Amino acid sequence: MLRRNRILRTSPAIRAMVAETILKPSDFIAPLFITEGEQVKEEISSMPGYFRYSLDNTVKEAKELWSMGIKSVLLFVKCTDELKDNKGTEAVNPDGLMQRAIKSIKQAVPEMIVMTDVALDPYSSYGHDGIVNGQEIVNDATVEVLARMSLSHAAAGADFVAPSDMMDGRILAIRNTLEANNFDKVGIMSYSAKYASCFYGPFRDALDSAPGFGDKKTYQMDYANAKEAIKETLMDVEEGADIVMVKPALAYLDIISSIKERVNLPVSAYHVSGEYSMIKAAAKMGWLNEEKAILETLTSIKRAGADLIATYFAKDAVKLLG
Ligand code: PBG
């Protein structure tokens, strides 16, 4: 039998009718970078078109995102140097910038799903995601602080905590701590397969959180490995994660798709800072059409199996989808 596959590509209407993957505004999680001060809107030099906002402007931004149909934000704060230490003191401060940000956003846009980054790097004098002892990033003592940090986010009103640290056992510890304190409606979006990646470079500029020594390879995963991503993710599911995540996204589409096949939870993917900056840079040079690159990239991440995408292009994408 002769098959004419091009029939289904004949016109825009036919192509729309048979399109398998359609992006929508509620697919996106918008990361927000928050800094102290008032009326601050600072462009991040390695992320052109993306900003750090003070609380007042963060609230404005959250309102705008909500009005566009974007239903979740993922919060990151830039901690001042004086407040950084090796214990995560500021991370659990009930009046810290993160805790104030959660409250302000929930007050202004109560329905917005507020997700918070849980890891020590923005608060660490060493720029590491955990407590440092000599050259080592100590697991269990870090997990204990991450659980207290999650609790303080929950107490401030966070809907989901999002541990991005890759310590062993943190999902169970966080879940137990939330339960023990009656926060049984707070979800956990686990960065379950997070790779040690050069694509986080611009993010570390945004928060001034680059590691002071060494790298993150003793806790984040080796990009040579795929089975390990399954192991990590299945453990997080058992420990009580509500949403699992693969990070970065574009160089890890195979990982997204194999995790999607194996778990019965929503799968998210983090289209990270370096992936954003690559498109921006190529577009600035006139080498790529930015708008087309955004939609093709995000559609491919969803096609691979991501139900949710954390992306710095959330607003642009919604505008482009019309
Ligand atoms: C911190 C954290 C990082 C990112 C999210 N949370 C950086 C890192 O692990 O070094 C990266 C996000 C991005 O690059 O957009 N634990």
Side-chain angles (χ1 to χ4, degrees), residues 37-55:
E38 276 170 36
Q39 296 294 313
V40 181
K41 182 180 177 184
E42 295 167 347
E43 189 168 37
I44 296 149
S45 56
S46 50
M47 297 179 72
Y50 219 77
F51 300 88
R52 272 186 297 262
Y53 295 112
S54 50
L55 274 185

Side-chain angles (χ1 to χ4, degrees), residues 15 28 31 42 45 67 76 79 82 90-91 114 118 135 175 187 196 198 210 216 221 225-226 249 258 297 301 319:
R15 291 194 294 271
F28 304 124
E42 295 167 347
S45 56
S67 75
F76 297 94
C79 181
E82 313 86 75
E90 184 58 15
V114 172
V118 172
Q135 293 295 108
R175 177 57 80 204
C198 74
K216 299 191 174 185
M221 288 172 36
N225 296 347
S258 67
T297 301
I301 295 168
K319 284 181 196 152

Side-chain angles (χ1 to χ4, degrees), residues 8-150:
L8 294 181
R9 298 177 208 137
T10 304
S11 68
I14 294 177
R15 291 194 294 271
M17 180 175 74
V18 300
E20 296 169 35
T21 309
I22 317 284
L23 293 168
K24 58 183 195 309
S26 58
D27 294 338
F28 304 124
I29 301 169
L32 291 175
F33 296 124
I34 306 163
T35 190
E36 290 286 2
E38 276 170 36
Q39 296 294 313
V40 181
K41 182 180 177 184
E42 295 167 347
E43 189 168 37
I44 296 149
S45 56
S46 50
M47 297 179 72
Y50 219 77
F51 300 88
R52 272 186 297 262
Y53 295 112
S54 50
L55 274 185
D56 46 358
N57 282 334
T58 300
V59 166
K60 257 196 220 162
E61 186 68 11
K63 285 182 182 163
E64 191 183 332
L65 290 165
W66 184 260
S67 75
M68 296 173 75
I70 295 169
K71 302 201 181 301
S72 61
V73 289
L74 179 55
L75 309 187
F76 297 94
V77 299
K78 184 172 190 290
C79 181
T80 48
D81 279 344
E82 313 86 75
L83 295 173
K84 296 186 184 186
D85 63 18
N86 189 28
K87 297 188 291 195
T89 307
E90 184 58 15
V92 300
N93 176 0
D95 299 316
L97 184 55
M98 174 63 93
Q99 289 78 0
R100 282 180 279 135
I102 298 165
K103 285 182 199 156
S104 314
I105 296 172
K106 287 305 283 186
Q107 196 174 15
V109 199
E111 289 174 282
M112 178 65 91
I113 302 159
V114 172
M115 302 178 158
T116 59
D117 187 62
V118 172
L120 294 185
D121 48 329
Y123 308 96
S124 161
S125 34
Y126 294 103
H128 273 290
D129 290 30
I131 291 170
V132 174
N133 183 9
Q135 293 295 108
E136 191 187 340
I137 319 305
V138 185
N139 196 86
D140 297 3
T142 301
V143 168
E144 196 266 323
V145 183
L146 297 174
R148 284 196 285 126
M149 185 176 179
S150 300

Side-chain angles (χ1 to χ4, degrees), residues 76 117 119 121 129 164 194 199-200 203-204 216 220 247 270 272-273 312:
F76 297 94
D117 187 62
D121 48 329
D129 290 30
S164 66
K194 176 171 177 178
F199 293 108
Y200 309 148
F203 172 96
R204 294 175 187 170
K216 299 191 174 185
Q220 298 178 350
K247 177 184 180 187
Y270 201 139
V272 301
S273 57
Y312 304 97

